[in-house]
Amino acid sequence: MSSVPRPHVLIVDDDETVRQLVDQYLAQNDFRVSGASRGAELMAALGCQVIDLVLLDLRLRGEDGMQLLRQVRAQSQIPVIILTGRTEEADRVMGLELGADDYLTKPFSPRELLARIRTVLRRTHAGQEVHGAPVCRAYRLPGWELNLRTRRLTGEHGAEVALSNGEFNLLAALLASANRVVTRDQLIEMSRRYDNEVYDRAVDVQILRLRRKLERNPAEPQIILTERGAGYRIAVPVEAVY
């Protein structure tokens, strides 16, 4: 499994050649890429996956790209870079007015695309630090992603690992306090934001179950460590996704 969480880009374009080009180039530069050819696939992906940035072609066959952009903006502030033709100035202007973060004209250079994606992601993260942290959508740690909206834990290649309510609550609470020791009482209190199913007598048992699901060797954990007499600690890098 990768030691560094990778940003997830969704390319929405009905041209398979374009999707493959973007996928191959961004994957070579440490991005995770998913593709969609229709608006329904875009909205489905946003509903079940944690997407860091959307590349949206405004000229999908038989669909209104502006309306799709409105739908994305109605439910999230995920950064969007729109793809347009060179002569479609009106589309570029309207897309930016509707909330797109940047635009790129076709045909485009993969290097320019990469630069614009990195710039938008840096700007988005900087804005969060200045204006306060919004609601976290997910946590990423080496090889894993915990989606707080869908309560799904997935591995690096998208394989889902089932969690009980208690396991999800504890893992979310631990990840929210990454690299800090959290006592059993603190874990119980923090997990109340998700529901009330965590009890003191169950914490140790559920930690053992989480280790069996997350750790390569549960007997020698590298992710969830026990701090003797104090509590538990996440010992790997954790990225909060907003």
Side-chain angles (χ1 to χ4, degrees):
M1 293 181 177
S2 172
S3 60
V4 180
R6 296 181 299 163
H8 189 177
V9 173
L10 177 66
I11 167 71
V12 186
D13 196 305
D14 53 20
D15 187 331
E16 185 176 359
T17 301
V18 173
R19 296 199 307 271
Q20 290 177 348
L21 171 67
V22 170
D23 190 332
Q24 293 172 3
Y25 191 79
L26 293 184
Q28 293 170 2
N29 288 275
D30 297 323
F31 283 83
R32 177 183 168 197
V33 183
S34 295
S37 60
R38 298 181 296 111
E41 295 173 358
L42 160 64
M43 302 314 295
L46 294 182
C48 67
Q49 301 184 61
V50 177
I51 308 296
D52 295 286
L53 183 141
V54 174
L55 296 174
L56 175 61
D57 183 4
L58 293 181
R59 295 290 180 175
L60 298 176
R61 284 191 293 272
E63 298 195 67
D64 185 343
M66 295 299 178
Q67 182 58 32
L68 291 177
L69 178 56
R70 290 189 185 95
Q71 291 178 27
V72 172
R73 274 291 161 267
Q75 71 174 51
S76 76
Q77 291 302 310
I78 295 172
V80 178
I81 296 178
I82 54 176
L83 305 176
T84 71
R86 290 193 180 277
T87 61
E88 296 163 355
E89 180 180 0
D91 281 357
R92 296 196 294 271
V93 172
M94 183 176 293
L96 293 172
E97 289 179 345
L98 290 176
D101 296 87
D102 201 352
Y103 70 87
L104 199 60
T105 55
K106 289 184 172 183
F108 53 81
S109 157
R111 290 182 62 186
E112 181 181 5
L113 171 65
L114 177 63
R116 287 180 180 271
I117 289 174
R118 286 175 170 167
T119 298
V120 168
L121 290 177
R122 281 197 302 269
R123 187 168 66 229
T124 303
H125 292 161
Q128 290 167 353
E129 293 172 3
V130 171
H131 300 296
V135 177
C136 182
R137 293 188 290 132
Y139 291 109
R140 289 186 182 138
L141 59 158
W144 298 99
E145 179 176 279
L146 184 70
N147 188 323
L148 300 183
R149 292 179 175 177
T150 62
R151 302 173 71 92
R152 296 172 63 199
L153 174 67
T154 53
E156 185 179 21
H157 301 293
E160 184 174 352
V161 175
L163 295 177
S164 68
N165 284 337
E167 290 165 357
F168 169 83
N169 298 336
L170 279 179
L171 182 57
L174 282 166
L175 294 175
S177 302
N179 291 310
R180 299 203 307 268
V181 177
V182 187
T183 68
R184 289 174 180 81
D185 288 342
Q186 288 173 329
L187 277 173
I188 293 170
E189 183 61 30
M190 292 170 65
S191 64
R192 293 270 163 81
R193 74 184 66 177
Y194 304 106
D195 64 35
N196 295 316
E197 293 195 8
V198 179
Y199 303 96
D200 181 60
R201 65 181 181 273
V203 168
D204 293 341
V205 172
Q206 291 175 348
I207 290 289
L208 288 175
R209 291 174 178 166
L210 283 173
R211 282 174 172 161
R212 290 176 187 142
K213 295 177 178 182
L214 291 170
E215 304 277 4
R216 291 185 177 182
N217 181 1
E220 297 181 2
Q222 303 296 313
I223 298 175
I224 304 177
L225 300 188
T226 300
E227 298 293 339
R228 196 172 301 277
Y232 297 98
R233 174 173 67 92
I234 295 290
V236 296
V238 175
E239 175 194 4
V241 182
Y242 296 98

